Amino acid sequence: MELDPSLLRAESRVGTISAPPACVRLAPDLRSVADFLHDESKLTAIGIASLATPATLDELREVMAWHAQEGHAVALSGARTGVTGGAVPEMDAHLVSLAALRGVAEVREAEGEWTAKVLAGTSLAELNAYLAAHHPGLNFPVDPTETSASLGGMVATNAGGARSLRFGAMRDWVVGLTVELPSARTLTLQRGRERVHEGAFVLEEGKVRRRLAVAPIPKPSTKNAIGYGLGADGSAIDLWIGAEGTLGVVSEVTVRLRHSTERQLGYLQFFEHAASAFRFVQMLREEKSLRTNAIEFLDQRSHVLAHESGKPAVERVLHIAPPGSCSVFTEVEYADDAELADIAERLAALAAHAGGDPDTSLAGTNEEELRDVRSFRHAVPERINAIIALRRATQPGLHKLATDMAVPDESLTWVYDRYQALLGGEGLDFAVFGHVGDNHFHVNIIPRDAGELTRAMRCYAILAREIVARG
């Protein structure tokens, strides 16, 4: 008899756990677990009830069973590369870190499609290094701009990042998940297998069946990662992608892989005016014959902040930048040296036509050549976080505000100008950078005191309403 396509079966993998598993530390000394209490947001937890660091699926399942039996509030943590505080546990939570749960379980091909199954703590860099060593030509293209990010964390946040312009976000690449539910049962999901049936799923846990009515969650066509993802004819797996750990612990991830022998040209172009930079962006998007993976933008204030970092790599990049300039970085794939030469000429011509000077540009075709450029990009949020950490020493409630909103193509110039008018009009310090190819700016507001923080939050609410109104 064929199973109802709406049926989700959760099975028990462990029995009763009468004592804390060996990988659990109760009431740990905060100094001994300090690395687990913060993420790249620079926010820090002030205490946890316990820390679990399982290194195997069996250990994780024992931990979840013990927490379920004790009725504990559980917080999850991965590679802690996020900048929004999502990995920072609340006071007295029982923290479960997946940082040690790592490894590539299998890489296989079926019906012409290659997939990789990994433990959730495995980093993006580890996966791609494994593929380069054992399966040359295969890679996983989603790039959240931080290669130490874990695959489980990328699933939890439906990570997109720089290359979402061409490759989309995690949801487009995840084909299988293993999830440890708060009930201590294990749910195995496969794309296309467990689907919405008459607006609901049926979750079977042992002898208990529960009908879970889930209304379709409409999404705008603009790039977005908001809320739980589920269409009218959706697959159950999509509920867990982007759920931020609220529906269970993702323990294993199976992703589609891409087969490509092409290489990437990275091209950084400086512009004296943002309007010229945005003309260049529009031209890049219109050049459909270019295989453009990513288009990134940094404004004038971002350049100043990067310079303040004092990093030699940043100075090597900025020494050719005109005073008061902004910049656009793009990554384009090419097949051979002849195509590389053609693409380089075309990019220089587009930059000149947009109002830039091709002589104020940098390019590279390998990680060593582009290391300085990537350091330049990462120096901006790092410097902002350092400024806020310093100010918080005397003003404990202070924090930055970082927008994370995208608009349709036709609203790119409007949204940039709106940020300038509203935030600049309030006298706030802010930097604009991010995934301009998707019209997705990360505007970081850097308040100097509580009064500016209040004004910044008020501005954020205004901007959010206006941006949502534009789709």
Side-chain angles (χ1 to χ4, degrees):
M1 179 178 176
E2 186 175 344
L3 288 177
D4 183 330
S6 67
L7 187 64
L8 285 67
R9 276 203 168 94
E11 59 179 313
S12 178
R13 297 289 183 90
V14 296
T16 301
I17 307 296
S18 58
C23 64
V24 173
R25 281 184 273 174
L26 291 173
D29 174 74
L30 295 187
R31 287 175 297 182
S32 69
V33 297
D35 284 348
F36 296 93
L37 302 183
H38 63 86
D39 61 13
E40 286 302 314
S41 68
K42 307 305 181 186
L43 298 173
T44 302
I46 58 176
I48 53 176
S50 73
L51 171 66
T53 53
T56 68
L57 290 174
D58 286 344
E59 288 181 349
L60 173 60
R61 286 163 183 159
E62 287 184 355
V63 168
M64 294 303 295
W66 177 65
H67 284 314
Q69 288 164 200
E70 298 297 322
H72 290 155
V74 173
L76 305 178
S77 173
R80 306 184 303 281
T81 60
V83 295
T84 62
V88 180
E90 298 205 359
M91 179 66 176
D92 294 332
H94 291 264
L95 181 60
V96 177
S97 168
L98 305 185
L101 190 72
R102 52 210 310 167
V104 178
E106 68 172 6
V107 174
R108 62 189 297 265
E109 185 268 338
E111 298 180 356
E113 180 174 271
W114 283 91
T115 60
K117 178 188 284 189
V118 303
L119 294 174
T122 308
S123 73
L124 177 61
E126 289 169 337
L127 171 58
N128 278 325
Y130 180 91
L131 294 173
H134 301 282
H135 300 275
L138 291 177
N139 65 76
F140 184 63
V142 180
D143 178 13
T145 71
E146 180 50 76
T147 60
S148 61
S150 69
L151 271 291
M154 291 170 66
V155 168
T157 57
N158 188 29
R163 291 178 177 167
S164 61
L165 174 69
R166 183 176 179 192
F167 299 116
M170 280 297 285
R171 184 170 286 117
D172 301 309
W173 293 85
V174 176
V175 295
L177 290 178
T178 304
V179 180
E180 314 306 326
L181 297 176
S183 62
R185 291 178 179 269
T186 298
L187 187 61
T188 302
L189 300 165
Q190 182 178 313
R191 182 162 300 283
R193 187 179 64 191
E194 300 91 2
R195 305 190 65 84
V196 175
H197 182 66
E198 297 180 351
F201 300 114
V202 174
L203 175 61
E204 180 183 275
E205 293 194 282
K207 297 180 180 180
V208 178
R209 280 192 176 190
R210 295 196 300 276
R211 184 177 184 274
L212 310 176
V214 185
I217 304 169
K219 297 293 187 72
S221 57
T222 308
K223 175 185 178 182
N224 70 88
I226 55 173
Y228 301 106
L230 192 66
D233 59 347
S235 186
I237 195 171
D238 288 325
L239 274 177
W240 275 268
I241 303 170
E244 301 274 357
T246 57
L247 301 179
V249 184
V250 172
S251 56
E252 290 181 304
V253 181
T254 303
V255 292
R256 289 190 298 116
L257 300 175
R258 181 169 176 259
H259 196 282
S260 175
T261 57
E262 294 190 329
R263 293 172 286 174
Q264 286 80 40
L265 166 67
Y267 181 86
L268 177 69
Q269 176 67 56
F270 293 101
F271 293 94
E272 294 188 27
H273 306 288
S276 299
F278 297 150
R279 280 197 294 273
F280 182 55
V281 170
Q282 184 60 31
M283 291 176 184
L284 287 173
R285 291 196 293 216
E286 291 173 353
E287 285 284 328
K288 300 302 183 184
S289 61
L290 289 176
R291 298 184 296 284
T292 304
N293 293 345
I295 313 175
E296 298 283 290
F297 172 79
L298 287 91
D299 73 347
Q300 176 185 352
R301 179 61 175 139
S302 298
H303 285 197
V304 172
L305 289 163
H307 174 72
E308 289 176 359
S309 72
K311 293 183 175 182
V314 173
E315 296 310 308
R316 289 193 291 268
V317 170
L318 285 178
H319 83 278
I320 66 167
S325 62
C326 57
S327 58
V328 174
F329 174 80
T330 187
E331 182 184 273
V332 182
E333 286 196 347
Y334 67 95
D336 51 38
D337 289 346
E339 187 180 19
L340 171 62
D342 175 64
I343 290 173
E345 288 183 9
R346 291 168 67 187
L347 290 176
L350 291 174
H353 190 65
D357 180 359
D359 289 337
T360 59
S361 65
L362 294 170
T365 58
N366 58 56
E367 191 58 38
E368 184 176 349
E369 292 174 336
L370 294 173
R371 187 177 294 117
D372 286 356
V373 174
R374 298 195 190 284
S375 181
F376 166 54
R377 166 66 174 83
H378 288 148
V380 180
E382 289 172 1
R383 175 60 184 158
I384 292 170
N385 288 340
I387 291 171
I388 289 296
L390 187 63
R391 292 175 181 171
R392 194 184 295 126
T394 56
Q395 303 178 73
L398 205 63
H399 59 85
K400 75 175 183 182
L401 259 70
T403 74
D404 199 11
M405 300 181 283
V407 295
D409 287 354
E410 63 271 15
S411 295
L412 171 58
T413 299
W414 168 82
V415 77
Y416 180 80
D417 291 344
R418 188 68 181 115
Y419 279 124
Q420 303 298 318
L422 184 58
L423 301 180
E426 286 286 343
L428 297 169
D429 184 14
F430 64 98
V432 183
F433 57 92
H435 317 311
V436 70
D438 296 306
N439 316 301
H440 177 197
F441 290 127
H442 295 301
V443 180
N444 278 214
I445 309 171
I446 319 168
R448 302 173 184 87
D449 53 41
E452 286 197 354
L453 178 59
T454 298
R455 298 207 307 276
M457 294 176 73
R458 185 170 62 246
C459 289
Y460 199 157
I462 293 170
L463 290 161
R465 285 193 294 270
E466 293 179 355
I467 287 171
V468 168
R470 286 198 172 230

